[in-house]
């Protein structure tokens, strides 16, 4: 019998480890940027091509490595950051497992060039798929550049899990945005396919960094948070309640300058805002929390950035208190402010062309080709833009009973209960009708009457929606889908979408809100199905545009509603499947009153 247990050779082991560390291009970028941070860099430049699949390069002006360390760094478990298990508990640096570089090298065409302050030249280490190590030298400034080309070229199975370039680029942008907020003392620049995407000044001002990342409109609507209790400091900015989004993508939490996620912090945020936000809204937030490392456990999920606090309650209450205090004075828009509690070694090496910070507003080329959308627009039949407001709807002269077409049911309105349920008789049956659900059904049927583009209306005053750069990219990538839904959208800045056309029968603000929920759908589905998107969108649209329960309706309006409801394809359920009406025949009533 042959032995079946074998020790994996180092290269295979590295490829296996790579599966854990190197999930997708964004995880490579994250590891490399964290190494640059650990090396004390004050400027980090990231360059990717094709969502990072063909090229990832991270360059820094950090301390660099000696030639011997450069060679060691691509070996497994080579780390300069810990020596023993005890160090794990006091670790302050981001990486410490010594796995990242060998794992990345194992699945790419890898080059590292690095120069420390004692060396005259940089050492160049290159490998292909983790083997064939070549050494060389090169002239460069002090610091390190790591280049990984053709990611997963030798692991085709992994390549299949990688999404489209724009999805991967979105992940990278998202992750770098958060790191840039956590480390606003480091100048971080990100270029994708040669285009500058992020440009953070690194001047230590969180406010300026937020403005550089999210645009000045967002920066104009944020409130400063600053609070300290029992050794826990909470500093940052939160959005005014008017600045909401339908998901948590723009909430960033950092603990001791490390980006983290923690459910309890989300809850503290939600609770502090409680009644100020609509049921499905999330506020903008960037909170930098500083506390004694002894009360956190950062090694829960080295990759997933999940964090545990051994004293959850005190972190929760500090955060809740900090946010609540800031919200009690919502008019106080924070001025330019400099962090004080988070200090870092500033490296001022002139060699890394540290140009003065500048907020890049680009309006060069659109992110996607807009011509197909324009063509579709030209060919589309633009229907009469006749928005009907609720008021108009209420005031409209409803048809009188006698003007009903002969084939119509006989309808009599008795009244309304709790401004929610219409009491009516229809062809001798007693009906209780939910006014909101009924109107929802009517609107839904009207919108779905066509399989073509949803009828739209031109806005006199365009709606502007502030988003993160990656959300803008996603929205524009789906501009044609939005066009089908009745929208015309355009990129008006890297962080703003202009909406010039919206679906009929709704207000601009409702349309903007629906746009955000459709965007959320696209974010949540890797391969969004247009038909499903349309169905979900119409459901929500009908719900948002329908008369609310509690609205006072006059008899004509109720009559009109019931008449229209009976003409719909499924008058008995709303688009969500809930009943629109409950019907009692005379026999039912006799039975209920035991009069048989
Ligand atoms: P870890 O970060 O877990 O120590 P890595 O594989 O990411 O492991 O890096 C291995 C070692 O290489 C690090 O401990 C560090 O000494 C060195 N290193 C990696 N990247 C850089 C960099 N950009 N600048 C200086 N040293 C670096
Ligand atoms: Mg590392």
């Amino acid at each position: 019998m042959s032995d079946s247990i074998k020790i994996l050779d180092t290269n295979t082991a590295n490829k296996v480890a790579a599966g854990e560390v190197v999930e997708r291009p964004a995880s490579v970028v994250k590891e490399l940027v964290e190494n640059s941070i650990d090396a004390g860099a004050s400027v980090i430049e990231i360059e990717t091509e094709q969502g990072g699949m063909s090229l990832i390069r991270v360059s820094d002006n950090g301390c660099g490595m000696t030639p011997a360390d450069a060679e060691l760094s691509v070996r497994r478990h080579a780390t300069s950051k810990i020596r023993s298990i005890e160090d794990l508990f006091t670790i302050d640096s981001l990486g410490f497992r010594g796995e990242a570089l060998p794992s990345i090298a194992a699945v790419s065409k890898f080059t590292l060039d690095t120069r420390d302050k004692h060396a005259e030249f940089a050492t160049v280490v290159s490998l292909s798929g983790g083997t064939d190590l070549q050494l060389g030298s090169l002239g460069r400034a002090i610091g390190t550049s790591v280049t990984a080309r053709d990611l997963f070229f030798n692991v085709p199975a992994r390549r299949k899990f990688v999404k489209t370039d724009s999805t991967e680029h979105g992940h990278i942008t998202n992750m770098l945005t958060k790191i840039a907020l956590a480390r606003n003392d480091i100048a971080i620049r990100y270029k994708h396919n040669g285009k500058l995407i992020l440009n953070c000044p690194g001047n230590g001002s969180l406010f300026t960094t937020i403005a550089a990342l999210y645009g000045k409109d967002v920066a104009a609507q944020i409130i400063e948070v600053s609070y300290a209790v029992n050794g826990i400091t909470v500093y940052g900015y939160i959005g005014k309640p008017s600045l909401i989004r339908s998901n948590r993508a723009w909430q960033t939490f950092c603990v001791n300058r490390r980006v983290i996620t923690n459910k309890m912090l989300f809850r503290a945020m939600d609770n502090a805002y409680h009644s100020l936000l609509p049921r499905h809204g999330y506020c903008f937030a960037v909170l930098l929390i500083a506390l004694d490392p002894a009360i956190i456990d950062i090694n829960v999920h080295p990759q997933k950035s999940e964090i545990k606090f051994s004293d959850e309650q005190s972190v929760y209450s500090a955060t809740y208190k900090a946010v609540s205090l800031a919200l009690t004075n919502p008019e106080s828009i924070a001025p330019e402010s400099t962090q004080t509690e988070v200090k870092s070694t500033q490296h001022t090496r002139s060699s890394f062309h540290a140009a003065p910070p500048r907020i890049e507003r680009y309006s060069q080329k659109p992110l996607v080709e807009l011509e197909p959308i324009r063509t579709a627009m030209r060919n589309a039949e633009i229907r009469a833009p006749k928005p009907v407001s609720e008021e108009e709807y209420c005031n409209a002269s409803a048809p009188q009973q006698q003007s009903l077409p002969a084939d119509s049911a006989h309808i009599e309105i008795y009244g309304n209960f709790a401004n929610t349920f219409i009491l009516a008789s229809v062809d001798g049956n007693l009906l209780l009708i939910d006014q909101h659900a009924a109107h929802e059904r009517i609107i839904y049927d009207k919108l779905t009457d066509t399989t073509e583009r949803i009828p739209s209306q031109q806005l006199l005053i365009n709606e502007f929606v502030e988003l993160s750069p990656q959300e803008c990219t996603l929205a524009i990538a789906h501009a044609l889908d939005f066009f089908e839904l009745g929208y015309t959208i355009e990129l008006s800045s890297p962080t703003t979408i202009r909406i010039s056309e919206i679906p009929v029968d709704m207000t601009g603000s409702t349309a903007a809100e629906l746009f955000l929920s459709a965007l959320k759908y696209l974010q949540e589905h890797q391969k969004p199905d247009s038909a499903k998107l349309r169905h979900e969108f119409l459901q929500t649209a009908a719900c948002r545009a329908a008369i609310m329960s509690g609205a006072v309706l006059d008899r004509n309006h109720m009559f009109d509603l019931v008449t229209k409801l009976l003409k719909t394809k499924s008058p008995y359920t709303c688009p969500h499947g809930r009943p629109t009406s409950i019907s009692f025949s005379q026999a039912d009533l006799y039975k209920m009153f035991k009069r048989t």
Side-chain angles (χ1 to χ4, degrees):
M1 207 176 80
S2 68
D3 293 340
S4 55
I5 297 179
K6 298 234 164 47
I7 304 284
L8 296 174
D9 64 70
T10 318
N11 189 33
T12 312
N14 282 339
K15 275 201 212 169
V16 174
E20 292 169 31
V21 183
V22 187
E23 205 187 325
R24 61 189 334 157
S27 35
V28 175
V29 177
K30 180 167 180 278
E31 291 289 342
L32 296 179
V33 169
E34 289 186 342
N35 279 348
S36 298
I37 294 173
D38 286 345
S42 62
V43 181
I44 304 173
E45 293 202 331
I46 304 100
E47 248 180 283
T48 60
E49 275 166 25
Q50 296 180 305
M53 288 306 285
S54 59
L55 170 79
I56 293 172
R57 177 178 294 130
V58 175
S59 309
D60 66 52
N61 64 348
C63 62
M65 286 178 255
T66 63
D69 280 352
E71 208 182 325
L72 256 182
S73 71
V74 295
R75 304 241 180 98
R76 204 144 149 70
H77 301 307
T79 175
S80 58
K81 297 168 196 171
I82 55 168
R83 290 277 173 268
S84 72
I85 198 74
E86 278 71 38
D87 293 347
L88 264 185
F89 297 97
T90 51
I91 186 86
D92 184 35
S93 56
L94 298 167
F96 48 78
R97 305 199 308 172
E99 278 182 343
L101 294 186
S103 300
I104 297 164
V107 293
S108 67
K109 293 173 186 160
F110 179 94
T111 307
L112 163 86
D113 58 80
T114 184
R115 180 184 156 201
D116 77 342
K117 63 174 188 242
H118 302 294
E120 276 185 48
F121 292 98
T123 309
V124 183
V125 182
S126 48
L127 297 108
S128 178
T131 58
D132 196 18
L133 187 142
Q134 310 266 337
L135 290 175
S137 67
L138 181 96
R140 66 155 286 155
I142 293 166
T144 305
S145 299
V146 176
T147 309
R149 291 182 189 276
D150 298 333
L151 194 64
F152 303 133
F153 78 98
N154 56 344
V155 216
R158 274 227 81 75
R159 221 165 32 219
K160 284 198 201 108
F161 290 103
V162 176
K163 305 286 190 278
T164 61
D165 290 1
S166 72
T167 306
E168 296 305 327
H169 163 54
H171 281 292
I172 296 170
T173 313
N174 203 8
M175 182 265 307
L176 288 175
T177 299
K178 292 185 178 239
I179 291 183
L181 291 166
R183 294 307 304 256
N184 49 64
D185 56 329
I186 301 177
I188 294 180
R189 298 189 199 112
Y190 171 45
K191 273 188 189 163
H192 181 242
N193 292 343
K195 191 184 292 170
L196 188 61
I197 305 293
L198 301 179
N199 188 9
C200 291
N203 60 357
S205 156
L206 179 59
F207 185 83
T208 323
T209 307
I210 291 174
L213 290 167
Y214 294 101
K216 57 181 180 334
D217 291 350
V218 166
Q221 295 181 70
I222 56 180
I223 309 165
E224 187 176 30
V225 175
S226 182
Y227 183 69
V229 65
N230 299 335
I232 303 172
T233 313
V234 183
Y235 171 79
Y237 289 89
I238 54 172
K240 287 183 164 188
S242 55
L243 195 63
I244 57 160
R245 193 68 50 84
S246 56
N247 62 42
R248 291 198 193 272
W250 69 350
Q251 295 188 342
T252 302
F253 295 102
C254 307
V255 171
N256 295 352
R257 300 196 295 186
R258 189 187 173 88
V259 181
I260 59 110
T261 59
N262 174 283
K263 290 206 181 74
M264 180 266 305
L265 286 178
F266 288 144
R267 209 171 339 115
M269 213 58 214
D270 294 349
N271 290 349
Y273 271 84
H274 62 163
S275 58
L276 298 172
L277 293 177
R279 206 146 38 96
H280 298 297
Y282 296 106
C283 57
F284 172 87
V286 180
L287 291 186
L288 310 180
I289 300 171
L291 43 74
D292 179 353
I295 68 166
I296 51 177
D297 177 6
I298 53 164
N299 200 16
V300 187
H301 264 304
Q303 259 68 51
K304 297 207 178 86
S305 346
E306 246 170 70
I307 194 171
K308 274 230 174 73
F309 298 97
S310 28
D311 186 359
E312 294 257 303
Q313 187 51 43
S314 61
V315 184
Y316 173 91
S317 51
T319 310
Y320 177 83
K321 196 76 191 286
V323 175
S324 306
L325 278 175
L327 280 172
T328 50
N329 187 13
E331 294 314 315
S332 65
I333 295 178
E336 180 93 357
S337 137
T338 315
Q339 263 172 276
T340 45
E341 78 280 12
V342 177
K343 289 202 184 70
S344 95
T345 353
Q346 287 288 325
H347 293 247
T348 42
R349 294 185 183 91
S350 53
S351 49
F352 202 84
H353 54 272
R358 188 163 70 90
I359 300 173
E360 193 74 14
R361 310 295 300 176
Y362 66 96
S363 58
Q364 312 114 291
K365 264 179 68 183
L367 295 177
V368 297
E369 196 41 63
L370 287 168
E371 205 40 46
I373 298 154
R374 300 223 166 90
T375 313
M377 277 171 63
R378 275 195 296 273
N379 296 341
E381 185 198 342
I382 308 287
R383 319 218 174 180
K386 196 183 161 295
V388 182
S389 68
E390 191 175 310
E391 201 185 339
E392 280 176 279
Y393 193 96
C394 291
N395 295 337
S397 56
Q400 297 303 302
Q401 291 205 31
Q402 56 270 38
S403 68
L404 264 181
D407 60 72
S408 286
H410 183 261
I411 300 169
E412 226 177 305
I413 304 291
Y414 296 129
N416 188 305
F417 178 65
N419 288 330
T420 299
F421 303 106
I422 302 167
L423 191 67
S425 92
V426 175
D427 284 343
N429 290 322
L430 180 70
L431 251 69
L432 276 170
I433 297 152
D434 180 330
Q435 64 189 41
H436 172 74
H439 197 200
E440 229 180 287
R441 164 55 65 195
I442 296 165
I443 298 172
Y444 181 80
D445 278 24
K446 181 175 170 190
L447 292 174
T448 51
D449 204 15
T450 169
T451 51
E452 286 157 24
R453 186 185 185 211
I454 291 170
S456 68
Q457 56 181 328
Q458 203 97 40
L459 282 175
L460 284 179
I461 300 164
N462 292 344
E463 284 282 335
F464 290 88
V465 184
E466 279 289 338
L467 298 166
S468 66
Q470 57 273 28
E471 286 169 318
C472 282
T473 311
L474 181 72
I476 293 302
H478 287 277
L480 205 48
D481 282 328
F482 281 113
F483 181 74
E484 287 301 314
L485 297 178
Y487 288 89
T488 297
I489 61 167
E490 249 177 291
L491 198 63
S492 89
S493 89
T495 57
T496 320
I497 295 283
R498 186 212 333 269
I499 307 180
S500 54
E501 263 192 307
I502 60 168
V504 283
D505 287 8
M506 59 178 76
T507 63
S509 60
T510 306
E513 201 186 313
L514 288 166
F515 165 80
L516 290 176
S517 59
L519 192 62
K520 183 180 171 218
Y521 178 90
L522 293 172
Q523 271 171 331
E524 286 168 353
H525 295 79
Q526 296 295 357
K527 290 202 181 93
D529 168 353
S530 301
K532 219 151 157 240
L533 170 68
R534 187 184 173 104
H535 173 74
E536 291 240 358
F537 174 81
L538 291 177
Q539 247 184 21
T540 321
C543 180
R544 292 289 298 113
I547 307 162
M548 287 300 150
S549 41
V552 182
L553 306 182
D554 63 25
R555 226 163 250 267
N556 285 344
H557 192 179
M558 289 191 264
F559 181 83
D560 193 26
L561 207 60
V562 177
T563 314
K564 284 187 172 143
L565 175 67
L566 294 177
K567 285 186 187 150
T568 58
K569 278 171 257 155
S570 3
Y572 301 111
T573 54
C574 80
H576 302 93
R578 287 192 300 274
T580 52
S581 60
I582 300 171
S583 161
F584 304 92
S585 66
Q586 282 199 23
D588 291 334
L589 292 170
Y590 272 90
K591 215 153 127 203
M592 286 161 88
F593 286 101
K594 305 203 184 306
R595 286 175 68 107
T596 41

